[in-house]
Amino acid sequence: MSMFPDCPHHDLKVTLLFSEFDVRKTQAIDIEGLIVVFKRLNIPFSTATVNDLFEKGDANGDGVINVPEFKRFAELYPTLIDCLYYRAKDYWTNEAQKEGIEEMKRVLDELRESESCIERDLAHQKMAVADAERRLQAQLQALADSQRKETEAKSNIDNAHDATERCRAELRDRVAELNRTKDIERQKQLELSERQRTLEHAIRRLQQQEGEVTKAQERLRDIERMLAEQQREVDRQINGAERCRAEAEAEEQREAEAHAVAAEALRMVHSAADDVSHTEERLAQIAETERQAALALREAAEETSRQLNRREQEQRAVLSAQQLEAAKVTELAAAQEALAEHQRLLHQQIQENEDFVDKRRQVDSEESPLVEQEVRLREQRENLERKESRLRSDFSHFAGRTTHQRGESPRGLSPVPSAALASPQKQLDPLMPVISSPRSIPVYGVETRSGSYNYYSEVRKSTSIPRSQRHA
């Protein structure tokens, strides 16, 4: 593709057009290149006209048009050259616009695909945010349950601690009561020991009295004569023995009572010991409960800490997901804005291209008659030149002959009309209404753009016979 400036000089036009027609890049133009470029540039020439133009351009008849021949061809058809140049320029401009439109369509498709991807990512991100929020709610519920369990564990451990304190106070009371009971038991044991000693002393006294009674009876048997005194002594001793027996029985009764009291004290001691043992067992159970409650509290505190960490992680995940969602929303808005802008630019570019094509089509419709007219005028001029050459030849033969009669025509020659000899310009009279006023016909690419070449004046100059040659 060549670069076509807006206002080039004539040689640059010729050079750029030669490069355009040189489709094979051989520094020569063949008939195929001419047909291809005429068809590409929408020049409505028939095949015969194209072949005729190629023959006129191929001066040496070698089947191609070289650079000098194309320059001569450009001098013969300046309007056609201007038309071809600006059509080629507009053609490549239109191709560039089409490529730009296709590129914008491709970018628009990419933007739409990007928008679709962003919308899918945004939908996925919204789902991720909703999922993260659900996980956060579940984590908050789990945290609330863990905190409730921790509160229950704290309440249980407080209750266990209170129960432990109460049990310890009860144990202290039981131990104090046991100590008091043991003191009572010791006192009872002391009293029992004292009673036993008193009983043993009474028994010994009874045994002594019985021994004395035995001795007295033996003396009573031995000494009958001392019966009265001894009888009184015996009665006295019997009374003392009875008293001792009564005292011994009383001591035995008291000993039995002491034994009963001691047994009761021992029973009380055992009961107090059992109470202390039960209290210690309860205290151990309460301590175990307190230990388990403390363990549960520690586990609940650890679980609460883990739930707090998870909640923070889920909150960070939700925040990150929300930030990503906001970024995706911003990206989607930017993509939609870019898509709308590219759609606007594409519509504008398409509208400009359509306007350009319409303008080019209008200019083509205005140029085509001028180009065809130039070709016809060139053909008519060549025909006139051939006629003029034949007339000159006939006139030379006619002037060279010696004849007696002035109006007699030479043999073998047709008579020359006096009107044709007087003014060959009259042969162009049928064309004069067309070329007499070039300013009244818009010429695209000749005067309206370059302003440096007036084809119509040149045609009038070239078709006019010099004044010196009009009279022969």
Side-chain angles (χ1 to χ4, degrees):
M1 174 181 175
S2 302
M3 295 300 294
F4 294 86
D6 290 334
C7 297
H9 53 80
H10 182 70
D11 293 338
L12 181 58
K13 289 181 184 178
V14 174
T15 302
L16 294 176
L17 281 177
F18 184 84
S19 299
E20 188 73 17
F21 280 103
D22 186 13
V23 294
R24 303 181 187 273
K25 305 304 177 186
T26 58
Q27 297 299 314
I29 302 173
D30 54 9
I31 184 64
E32 288 81 5
L34 201 67
I35 293 173
V36 168
V37 175
F38 277 169
K39 184 176 181 180
R40 179 194 301 166
L41 301 182
N42 195 23
I43 301 297
F45 285 164
S46 62
T47 303
T49 302
V50 175
N51 291 329
D52 185 58
L53 291 175
F54 184 79
E55 290 176 358
K56 291 178 181 178
D58 185 14
N60 56 9
D62 59 353
V64 293
I65 301 175
N66 53 29
V67 176
E69 290 174 342
F70 189 74
K71 289 182 177 179
R72 176 180 171 276
F73 180 81
E75 293 176 355
L76 292 177
Y77 298 96
T79 303
L80 178 61
I81 293 300
D82 285 341
C83 173
L84 291 173
Y85 175 82
Y86 288 104
R87 287 198 182 192
K89 178 179 180 300
D90 292 342
Y91 171 80
W92 289 115
T93 301
N94 186 29
E95 289 297 317
Q97 289 178 355
K98 289 180 178 179
E99 290 179 0
I101 290 173
E102 292 299 324
E103 179 66 20
M104 292 185 70
K105 287 181 178 179
R106 185 185 63 80
V107 173
L108 188 62
D109 293 337
E110 291 178 355
L111 288 174
R112 287 173 177 168
E113 182 65 24
S114 176
E115 182 185 11
S116 300
C117 292
I118 293 173
E119 287 178 349
R120 289 193 297 269
D121 293 341
L122 180 60
H124 293 163
Q125 197 61 41
K126 287 182 177 179
M127 294 174 62
V129 169
D131 195 15
E133 288 178 349
R134 285 194 299 270
R135 290 198 303 270
L136 178 60
Q137 292 298 326
Q139 197 62 40
L140 290 175
Q141 184 64 34
L143 178 61
D145 294 340
S146 178
Q147 289 176 345
R148 180 179 55 80
K149 290 180 180 179
E150 183 180 6
T151 303
E152 291 178 355
K154 286 182 180 180
S155 177
N156 292 333
I157 198 170
D158 290 339
N159 295 332
H161 183 69
D162 295 338
T164 302
E165 292 298 327
R166 289 193 301 270
C167 189
R168 284 177 179 174
E170 185 179 355
L171 179 61
R172 286 192 296 270
D173 295 339
R174 295 291 183 181
V175 169
E177 185 178 356
L178 178 62
N179 291 329
R180 288 193 301 271
T181 305
K182 286 182 178 181
D183 292 339
I184 293 171
E185 182 187 8
R186 281 193 298 270
Q187 291 176 3
K188 296 298 182 181
Q189 288 291 338
L190 291 175
E191 290 178 0
L192 180 60
S193 299
E194 184 66 25
R195 295 292 181 182
Q196 286 178 351
R197 284 192 301 270
T198 304
L199 179 60
E200 289 175 356
H201 182 67
I203 290 172
R204 284 192 301 269
R205 286 177 61 190
L206 177 61
Q207 289 175 355
Q208 289 175 1
Q209 290 293 329
E210 285 179 351
E212 290 178 359
V213 169
T214 302
K215 288 178 180 181
Q217 286 177 354
E218 288 178 355
R219 283 182 299 172
L220 177 63
R221 284 190 305 267
D222 292 337
I223 306 171
E224 289 179 355
R225 59 182 176 274
M226 296 175 72
L227 180 62
E229 291 87 3
Q230 293 296 328
Q231 185 67 39
R232 289 191 297 270
E233 183 66 23
V234 169
D235 292 334
R236 189 180 59 81
Q237 291 296 330
I238 290 171
N239 291 329
E242 290 293 334
R243 285 193 301 271
C244 288
R245 186 178 289 112
E247 290 178 359
E249 290 176 358
E251 289 297 332
E252 287 178 357
Q253 183 67 30
R254 284 193 294 272
E255 183 181 4
E257 293 177 358
H259 278 291
V261 171
E264 181 65 23
L266 184 59
R267 188 186 63 78
M268 292 176 63
V269 169
H270 288 308
S271 177
D274 291 339
D275 292 339
V276 170
S277 177
H278 292 160
T279 305
E280 288 178 349
E281 290 177 357
R282 285 181 57 197
L283 182 61
Q285 292 176 357
I286 292 173
E288 179 65 20
T289 304
E290 185 176 2
R291 187 184 66 80
Q292 292 179 358
L295 181 61
L297 177 61
R298 185 169 61 252
E299 291 178 352
E302 292 176 356
E303 182 66 22
T304 301
S305 178
R306 287 193 297 269
Q307 295 296 335
L308 285 172
N309 293 331
R310 291 176 184 173
R311 185 193 67 179
E312 291 177 357
Q313 292 176 359
E314 294 297 335
Q315 285 178 345
R316 287 194 296 269
V318 169
L319 181 60
S320 177
Q322 289 175 349
Q323 290 176 352
L324 289 175
E325 181 183 5
K328 289 296 180 182
V329 170
T330 304
E331 187 177 358
L332 178 61
Q336 290 175 347
E337 184 178 357
L339 180 62
E341 180 65 19
H342 275 77
Q343 287 178 342
R344 186 186 64 79
L345 292 176
L346 176 61
H347 180 72
Q348 180 180 357
Q349 190 72 18
I350 292 174
Q351 186 65 37
E352 290 178 356
N353 181 255
E354 291 176 354
D355 295 341
F356 180 81
V357 171
D358 292 340
K359 182 178 179 181
R360 179 68 260 178
R361 190 177 295 110
Q362 181 180 0
V363 171
D364 289 347
S365 63
E366 295 176 355
E367 282 181 343
S368 296
L370 295 177
V371 173
E372 293 174 356
Q373 182 179 355
E374 183 186 40
V375 174
R376 289 196 304 270
L377 288 175
R378 174 55 60 183
E379 184 68 26
Q380 292 175 4
R381 177 180 174 180
E382 291 177 355
N383 292 333
L384 289 175
E385 287 177 350
R386 285 194 296 271
K387 289 182 180 179
E388 183 179 3
S389 177
R390 188 173 61 253
L391 288 174
R392 289 181 183 278
S393 177
D394 292 345
F395 181 74
S396 297
H397 285 69
F398 177 76
R401 290 177 60 87
T402 304
T403 180
H404 298 285
Q405 294 180 357
R406 184 175 181 85
E408 185 180 355
S409 299
R411 183 176 299 176
L413 298 176
S414 59
V416 180
S418 59
L421 295 176
S423 178
Q425 181 68 24
K426 292 183 179 180
Q427 299 291 332
L428 297 176
D429 288 342
L431 301 177
M432 292 309 294
V434 178
I435 62 175
S436 60
S437 180
R439 293 296 180 181
S440 63
I441 302 176
V443 183
Y444 178 77
V446 180
E447 294 181 351
T448 57
R449 294 198 179 186
S450 64
S452 60
Y453 188 82
N454 191 339
Y455 165 73
Y456 302 99
S457 61
E458 293 295 327
V459 170
R460 296 184 65 180
K461 291 178 182 179
S462 60
T463 55
S464 299
I465 301 176
R467 187 179 300 272
S468 60
Q469 297 180 3
R470 294 182 182 180
H471 304 284

